């Protein structure tokens, strides 16, 4: 049982990475072999519309044919039993590299067929983890539940199962006094980090564990 965790944040050891680490610990507790990869360590493109994966009789087997530094990660994702993708919210969407990764992950397993869109025979439980400045109360006002659940919808259709987890009101800088910021209060952020973030990490742990259990149950 392999569980792959994909960090779509440029920062290591910050909010998104920490949420993924916790989810990976949960997956490991449920018996999975886990790995975290960092998208910003690689120079890669999104889908280039080559359509090699849609050619009649193609042998891509659901793997993107365009070869670049992302290829080994896509191979790992294709072999994984669980895939968890974490991203900060940048201007209401996942980061650019996260989107590029999702295009390359999803398009080759999308069938352009009237009889069904899915080519995968087994269920691969997936999840999106988002971290953001936005507070939980503000989320509906800025339409995030709708905007951010679009990816989970596509993942669910193609891989058979998907969940979305949010970590809101995250701490963006270690020392707010250094930055020209009046929109966010450093003391509030520090308090939220101390009180809420451990709960978010616990939720991520539970998510990782649950997805591995689902991978077993759903493929029996
Ligand atoms: C370029 C940029 C754009 C951002 N846009 C948003 C946004 O639209 N909504 C939001 O809630 N937070 C936004 N943020 C804040 C990040 O989503 C938040 O700090 C996140 O937790 C950072 O993740 P990290 O700590 O893993 O890097 C933005 C941050 C940056 C750098």
């Amino acid at each position: 049982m392999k569980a792959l965790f994909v960090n779509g944040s440029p920062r290591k050891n910050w909010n998104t990475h920490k949420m993924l680490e916790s989810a990976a610990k949960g997956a490991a507790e449920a018996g999975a072999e886990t790995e975290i990869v960092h998208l910003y360590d690689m120079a890669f493109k999104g889908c280039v519309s080559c359509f090699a994966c849609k050619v009649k009789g193609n042998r891509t087997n659901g793997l993107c044919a365009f070869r670049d530094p992302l290829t080994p990660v896509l191979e790992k994702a294709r072999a994984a039993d669980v895939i968890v993708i974490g991203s900060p919210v940048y201007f209401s969407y996942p980061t650019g590299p996260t989107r590029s990764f999702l295009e390359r992950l999803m398009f080759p397993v999308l069938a352009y067929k009237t009889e069904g869109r899915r080519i995968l025979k087994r269920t691969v439980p997936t999840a999106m983890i988002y971290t953001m400045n936005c507070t939980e109360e503000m989320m509906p006002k800025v339409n995030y539940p709708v905007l951010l659940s679009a990816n989970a919808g596509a993942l669910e259709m193609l891989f058979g199962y998907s969940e979305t987890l949010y970590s809101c009101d995250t701490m963006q800088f270690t020392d707010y006094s250094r930055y020209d910021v009046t929109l966010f209060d450093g003391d509030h952020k520090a308090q939220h980090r101390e009180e809420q973030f451990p709960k978010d990490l616990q939720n991520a742990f539970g998510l990782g564990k649950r997805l591995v259990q689902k991978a077993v149950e759903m493929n029996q």
Side-chain angles (χ1 to χ4, degrees), residues 11-190:
R11 302 198 291 180
K12 288 179 185 157
N13 296 317
W14 274 83
N15 299 289
T16 311
H17 184 194
K18 285 199 182 307
M19 289 289 282
L20 288 167
E21 277 182 332
S22 198
K25 280 185 194 148
E29 190 173 277
E33 191 186 310
T34 66
E35 182 177 354
I36 301 180
V37 294
H38 300 277
L39 293 181
Y40 279 76
D41 283 351
M42 288 157 263
F44 64 94
K45 294 182 196 300
C47 174
V48 295
S49 261
C50 71
F51 300 120
C53 60
K54 302 284 175 282
V55 170
K56 282 181 184 167
N58 80 81
R59 292 173 183 218
T60 57
N61 191 25
L63 191 65
C64 178
F66 184 80
R67 298 196 74 83
D68 69 1
L70 189 66
T71 303
V73 176
L74 293 170
E75 283 167 354
K76 281 175 189 173
R78 189 71 184 79
D81 303 290
V82 165
I83 306 170
V84 179
I85 301 148
S87 178
V89 174
Y90 279 8
F91 295 100
S92 307
Y93 291 98
T95 60
T98 307
R99 281 230 40 94
S100 293
F101 168 73
L102 284 167
E103 289 167 9
R104 302 267 305 275
L105 175 76
M106 295 196 293
F107 196 62
V109 293
L110 165 71
Y112 273 175
K113 298 260 177 82
T114 48
E115 58 268 30
R117 304 287 182 274
R118 249 187 100 172
I119 70 156
L120 293 183
K121 305 246 175 336
R122 66 198 172 108
T123 297
V124 180
T126 60
M128 293 296 307
I129 297 179
Y130 291 108
T131 74
M132 66 194 94
N133 260 330
C134 187
T135 61
E136 212 163 332
E137 303 74 60
M138 274 296 288
M139 280 191 63
K141 288 184 195 145
V142 289
N143 208 25
Y144 283 1
V146 174
L147 295 177
L148 298 174
S149 65
N151 290 306
L155 286 167
E156 170 123 27
M157 175 178 76
L158 298 171
F159 290 90
Y161 184 83
S162 194
E163 293 191 23
T164 305
L165 182 64
Y166 303 112
S167 175
C168 294
D169 206 2
T170 55
M171 190 144 150
Q172 199 166 9
F173 324 109
T174 319
D175 179 3
Y176 275 72
S177 68
R178 278 190 64 214
Y179 298 92
D180 195 10
V181 171
T182 51
L183 189 59
F184 305 112
D185 174 39
D187 291 339
H188 164 78
K189 288 283 191 183

Side-chain angles (χ1 to χ4, degrees), residues 199-219:
K199 294 179 193 161
D200 295 345
L201 292 176
Q202 203 50 44
N203 288 337
F205 182 92
L207 171 85
K209 192 170 173 178
R210 190 165 59 250
L211 291 188
V212 173
Q213 290 161 346
K214 289 223 170 273
V216 175
E217 281 164 27
M218 296 177 95
N219 291 298

